[in-house]
Amino acid sequence: MIPVEEHVDIEALKRGDELAFKSLVEMFQDRVFHTCFGFLGSREEAEDAAQETFIEVLSAIKSFRQESSISTWIYRIAALTALQAIRKKRRKRQVALFFGTEGTDAALANANDPDEGSHPLLRLENKERADVLYKAMNRLPESQRVAFTLHKIEGLEHKEVAAIMNLTVSSVESLIHRGKGNLQQYLGNYYRKQ
Amino acid sequence: MDEKQVEREVQKTLDLLISTPAIKPRPFFYTRLKTRLQASANPTPVVVRLFHRRIALAVLGIVLLVAINAFSLLRLTSRTMETQEAQAIASFAKEYSISTYRY
């Protein structure tokens, strides 16, 4: 849930105040990281994307016109950064496939353990399920993926997702509905083959 | 797997989206971010990089030259040895009136 009041000193950020930036990072790092993890499924990649997000925030803050809330803006950058990382991964895989150097599906096999601390057997089963889920989510069209991830994984309301994606609420609802339908189809096909 | 089992598995997998606890970054995220920002603010100067590239090219050129010369020298040496050997055989054959033709 995006908080109604955000104690972010935007003017200080625009001046390049380090304390203001540190405060912003500490306020949003969990949400940004969690969002990136929702897209990428790997702790290492999520950390990289989260750092890229804040670097982009720092470089673009001077052009932030405050037409939306700062959290909406940051979520938007996080989603775009994560999508760029996914595209880059896909291109690398295509090159590796072309040269016959691709190994196992490392990108999605790296889906990190989502429930650390639970029973090892459950953890393993969930890791395998998480791998299957991320593979299916990777197949979604980007807009469906973004809407679905922000709503289902990040837990944002439809209107919050709409603000982030610059869409209407009904468009977002439609994307989430179609995304869910596609996921059910991909997963169904996968489990039928088992 | 029958259709009902497939549906159950699909739902269990989708439920991971809501049942998975929120994942947080490792501690000291800001410290690592700051290090990265500082590294990008102080990159290796372009001049130094170009200099290294020129040195690398020069070394490669020298290695190629040496390799070509060594190859040429080797060929020349083996030809000289073959010629000397042929001459020695010819003079031996002449001395003992033996034909050097091969049948």
Short mmCIF file of all heavy atoms in Angstrom, two decimals, chain A residues 166-194:
data_model
loop_
_atom_site.label_atom_id
_atom_site.label_comp_id
_atom_site.label_asym_id
_atom_site.label_seq_id
_atom_site.Cartn_x
_atom_site.Cartn_y
_atom_site.Cartn_z
N ASN A 166 0.37 4.52 -15.84
CA ASN A 166 -0.26 5.56 -16.66
C ASN A 166 -1.40 5.01 -17.49
O ASN A 166 -1.52 5.28 -18.69
CB ASN A 166 0.78 6.19 -17.62
CG ASN A 166 1.42 7.42 -17.03
OD1 ASN A 166 0.82 8.10 -16.20
ND2 ASN A 166 2.62 7.70 -17.45
N LEU A 167 -2.21 4.17 -16.86
CA LEU A 167 -3.37 3.58 -17.54
C LEU A 167 -4.63 3.85 -16.72
O LEU A 167 -4.55 4.30 -15.58
CB LEU A 167 -3.18 2.06 -17.67
CG LEU A 167 -2.04 1.56 -18.56
CD1 LEU A 167 -1.88 0.04 -18.40
CD2 LEU A 167 -2.30 1.90 -20.02
N THR A 168 -5.76 3.52 -17.32
CA THR A 168 -7.01 3.63 -16.55
C THR A 168 -7.13 2.39 -15.68
O THR A 168 -6.50 1.36 -15.93
CB THR A 168 -8.22 3.69 -17.49
OG1 THR A 168 -8.25 2.49 -18.28
CG2 THR A 168 -8.15 4.91 -18.42
N VAL A 169 -7.99 2.49 -14.67
CA VAL A 169 -8.20 1.37 -13.76
C VAL A 169 -8.77 0.16 -14.51
O VAL A 169 -8.36 -0.98 -14.28
CB VAL A 169 -9.12 1.79 -12.59
CG1 VAL A 169 -9.51 0.59 -11.75
CG2 VAL A 169 -8.44 2.85 -11.73
N SER A 170 -9.67 0.44 -15.43
CA SER A 170 -10.29 -0.69 -16.17
C SER A 170 -9.26 -1.40 -17.05
O SER A 170 -9.30 -2.62 -17.20
CB SER A 170 -11.49 -0.24 -16.99
OG SER A 170 -11.11 0.83 -17.83
N SER A 171 -8.33 -0.62 -17.60
CA SER A 171 -7.26 -1.25 -18.41
C SER A 171 -6.42 -2.16 -17.53
O SER A 171 -6.04 -3.28 -17.93
CB SER A 171 -6.35 -0.20 -19.04
OG SER A 171 -7.07 0.63 -19.89
N VAL A 172 -6.11 -1.68 -16.34
CA VAL A 172 -5.29 -2.47 -15.41
C VAL A 172 -6.05 -3.74 -15.01
O VAL A 172 -5.48 -4.84 -14.99
CB VAL A 172 -4.93 -1.63 -14.16
CG1 VAL A 172 -4.42 -2.51 -13.03
CG2 VAL A 172 -3.88 -0.59 -14.52
N GLU A 173 -7.32 -3.60 -14.72
CA GLU A 173 -8.13 -4.77 -14.34
C GLU A 173 -8.14 -5.80 -15.48
O GLU A 173 -8.02 -7.01 -15.24
CB GLU A 173 -9.57 -4.34 -14.02
CG GLU A 173 -9.68 -3.66 -12.67
CD GLU A 173 -11.03 -2.99 -12.46
OE1 GLU A 173 -11.84 -2.91 -13.40
OE2 GLU A 173 -11.27 -2.51 -11.33
N SER A 174 -8.25 -5.30 -16.68
CA SER A 174 -8.26 -6.19 -17.84
C SER A 174 -6.91 -6.90 -17.99
O SER A 174 -6.84 -8.11 -18.24
CB SER A 174 -8.57 -5.35 -19.09
OG SER A 174 -8.35 -6.09 -20.25
N LEU A 175 -5.83 -6.15 -17.79
CA LEU A 175 -4.49 -6.74 -17.90
C LEU A 175 -4.29 -7.83 -16.85
O LEU A 175 -3.75 -8.91 -17.14
CB LEU A 175 -3.41 -5.66 -17.72
CG LEU A 175 -3.17 -4.71 -18.89
CD1 LEU A 175 -2.24 -3.57 -18.47
CD2 LEU A 175 -2.58 -5.45 -20.09
N ILE A 176 -4.73 -7.54 -15.62
CA ILE A 176 -4.56 -8.51 -14.53
C ILE A 176 -5.39 -9.76 -14.83
O ILE A 176 -4.92 -10.90 -14.64
CB ILE A 176 -4.96 -7.88 -13.18
CG1 ILE A 176 -3.96 -6.80 -12.80
CG2 ILE A 176 -5.03 -8.94 -12.08
CD1 ILE A 176 -4.38 -5.93 -11.63
N HIS A 177 -6.61 -9.56 -15.30
CA HIS A 177 -7.50 -10.68 -15.61
C HIS A 177 -6.90 -11.56 -16.71
O HIS A 177 -6.84 -12.79 -16.59
CB HIS A 177 -8.86 -10.12 -16.02
CG HIS A 177 -9.83 -11.20 -16.38
ND1 HIS A 177 -10.43 -12.02 -15.45
CD2 HIS A 177 -10.29 -11.61 -17.59
CE1 HIS A 177 -11.21 -12.87 -16.06
NE2 HIS A 177 -11.16 -12.65 -17.36
N ARG A 178 -6.42 -10.90 -17.76
CA ARG A 178 -5.82 -11.67 -18.88
C ARG A 178 -4.53 -12.34 -18.46
O ARG A 178 -4.24 -13.47 -18.85
CB ARG A 178 -5.59 -10.75 -20.08
CG ARG A 178 -6.86 -10.51 -20.89
CD ARG A 178 -6.59 -9.76 -22.17
NE ARG A 178 -6.49 -8.33 -21.93
CZ ARG A 178 -5.65 -7.50 -22.55
NH1 ARG A 178 -4.83 -7.95 -23.47
NH2 ARG A 178 -5.63 -6.22 -22.26
N GLY A 179 -3.76 -11.62 -17.62
CA GLY A 179 -2.51 -12.19 -17.12
C GLY A 179 -2.77 -13.46 -16.32
O GLY A 179 -2.09 -14.48 -16.48
N LYS A 180 -3.77 -13.39 -15.46
CA LYS A 180 -4.11 -14.56 -14.64
C LYS A 180 -4.57 -15.72 -15.53
O LYS A 180 -4.18 -16.87 -15.33
CB LYS A 180 -5.21 -14.19 -13.64
CG LYS A 180 -5.46 -15.30 -12.64
CD LYS A 180 -6.50 -14.92 -11.61
CE LYS A 180 -6.76 -16.12 -10.73
NZ LYS A 180 -7.86 -15.91 -9.80
N GLY A 181 -5.38 -15.38 -16.53
CA GLY A 181 -5.86 -16.40 -17.45
C GLY A 181 -4.71 -17.08 -18.19
O GLY A 181 -4.66 -18.31 -18.31
N ASN A 182 -3.78 -16.26 -18.65
CA ASN A 182 -2.63 -16.83 -19.36
C ASN A 182 -1.78 -17.71 -18.45
O ASN A 182 -1.31 -18.78 -18.84
CB ASN A 182 -1.75 -15.69 -19.93
CG ASN A 182 -2.34 -15.10 -21.20
OD1 ASN A 182 -3.06 -15.77 -21.94
ND2 ASN A 182 -2.04 -13.84 -21.47
N LEU A 183 -1.59 -17.24 -17.22
CA LEU A 183 -0.79 -18.03 -16.27
C LEU A 183 -1.45 -19.38 -16.01
O LEU A 183 -0.78 -20.42 -15.98
CB LEU A 183 -0.65 -17.28 -14.94
CG LEU A 183 0.48 -16.27 -14.83
CD1 LEU A 183 0.49 -15.65 -13.44
CD2 LEU A 183 1.83 -16.88 -15.13
N GLN A 184 -2.77 -19.36 -15.83
CA GLN A 184 -3.49 -20.61 -15.57
C GLN A 184 -3.32 -21.56 -16.75
O GLN A 184 -3.13 -22.77 -16.59
CB GLN A 184 -4.98 -20.34 -15.32
CG GLN A 184 -5.24 -19.78 -13.94
CD GLN A 184 -6.65 -19.28 -13.75
OE1 GLN A 184 -7.28 -18.81 -14.70
NE2 GLN A 184 -7.15 -19.36 -12.54
N GLN A 185 -3.33 -20.99 -17.95
CA GLN A 185 -3.18 -21.81 -19.16
C GLN A 185 -1.78 -22.41 -19.23
O GLN A 185 -1.61 -23.60 -19.45
CB GLN A 185 -3.44 -20.93 -20.38
CG GLN A 185 -3.50 -21.73 -21.68
CD GLN A 185 -3.50 -20.82 -22.89
OE1 GLN A 185 -3.95 -19.68 -22.84
NE2 GLN A 185 -2.98 -21.31 -23.97
N TYR A 186 -0.74 -21.56 -19.00
CA TYR A 186 0.64 -22.06 -19.09
C TYR A 186 0.89 -23.13 -18.02
O TYR A 186 1.49 -24.17 -18.28
CB TYR A 186 1.66 -20.92 -18.87
CG TYR A 186 1.59 -19.78 -19.86
CD1 TYR A 186 1.91 -18.48 -19.46
CD2 TYR A 186 1.21 -19.97 -21.18
CE1 TYR A 186 1.87 -17.42 -20.34
CE2 TYR A 186 1.14 -18.91 -22.07
CZ TYR A 186 1.47 -17.63 -21.64
OH TYR A 186 1.40 -16.58 -22.52
N LEU A 187 0.42 -22.84 -16.80
CA LEU A 187 0.64 -23.77 -15.70
C LEU A 187 -0.13 -25.08 -15.93
O LEU A 187 0.38 -26.16 -15.68
CB LEU A 187 0.24 -23.14 -14.36
CG LEU A 187 1.13 -21.98 -13.88
CD1 LEU A 187 0.51 -21.30 -12.65
CD2 LEU A 187 2.53 -22.45 -13.55
N GLY A 188 -1.36 -24.92 -16.43
CA GLY A 188 -2.17 -26.11 -16.72
C GLY A 188 -1.48 -27.01 -17.73
O GLY A 188 -1.38 -28.22 -17.54
N ASN A 189 -0.95 -26.39 -18.80
CA ASN A 189 -0.24 -27.17 -19.82
C ASN A 189 0.98 -27.86 -19.22
O ASN A 189 1.29 -29.01 -19.55
CB ASN A 189 0.21 -26.27 -20.97
CG ASN A 189 -0.96 -25.78 -21.81
OD1 ASN A 189 -2.06 -26.36 -21.76
ND2 ASN A 189 -0.76 -24.71 -22.55
N TYR A 190 1.67 -27.15 -18.33
CA TYR A 190 2.86 -27.71 -17.70
C TYR A 190 2.50 -28.93 -16.85
O TYR A 190 3.11 -30.00 -16.96
CB TYR A 190 3.55 -26.66 -16.82
CG TYR A 190 4.68 -27.21 -15.98
CD1 TYR A 190 5.95 -27.40 -16.53
CD2 TYR A 190 4.48 -27.55 -14.65
CE1 TYR A 190 6.98 -27.93 -15.77
CE2 TYR A 190 5.51 -28.08 -13.88
CZ TYR A 190 6.76 -28.25 -14.45
OH TYR A 190 7.78 -28.78 -13.68
N TYR A 191 1.48 -28.79 -16.00
CA TYR A 191 1.14 -29.90 -15.08
C TYR A 191 0.50 -31.07 -15.80
O TYR A 191 0.62 -32.21 -15.35
CB TYR A 191 0.26 -29.39 -13.93
CG TYR A 191 1.04 -28.59 -12.91
CD1 TYR A 191 0.77 -27.23 -12.70
CD2 TYR A 191 2.06 -29.17 -12.17
CE1 TYR A 191 1.50 -26.49 -11.79
CE2 TYR A 191 2.81 -28.42 -11.27
CZ TYR A 191 2.52 -27.08 -11.08
OH TYR A 191 3.27 -26.36 -10.18
N ARG A 192 -0.16 -30.82 -16.92
CA ARG A 192 -0.73 -31.93 -17.69
C ARG A 192 0.37 -32.82 -18.25
O ARG A 192 0.18 -34.02 -18.43
CB ARG A 192 -1.59 -31.40 -18.84
CG ARG A 192 -3.00 -31.14 -18.44
CD ARG A 192 -3.88 -30.67 -19.57
NE ARG A 192 -4.92 -29.84 -18.98
CZ ARG A 192 -4.95 -28.51 -19.03
NH1 ARG A 192 -4.04 -27.84 -19.69
NH2 ARG A 192 -5.92 -27.83 -18.43
N LYS A 193 1.52 -32.22 -18.54
CA LYS A 193 2.61 -33.02 -19.11
C LYS A 193 3.34 -33.83 -18.03
O LYS A 193 4.15 -34.71 -18.34
CB LYS A 193 3.64 -32.10 -19.78
CG LYS A 193 3.17 -31.51 -21.09
CD LYS A 193 4.22 -30.59 -21.68
CE LYS A 193 3.61 -29.76 -22.79
NZ LYS A 193 4.45 -28.60 -23.14
N GLN A 194 3.10 -33.52 -16.75
CA GLN A 194 3.82 -34.21 -15.66
C GLN A 194 3.29 -35.63 -15.42
O GLN A 194 2.12 -35.89 -15.61
CB GLN A 194 3.68 -33.42 -14.34
CG GLN A 194 4.28 -32.03 -14.41
CD GLN A 194 5.72 -32.02 -14.81
OE1 GLN A 194 6.57 -32.59 -14.12
NE2 GLN A 194 6.04 -31.42 -15.92
#
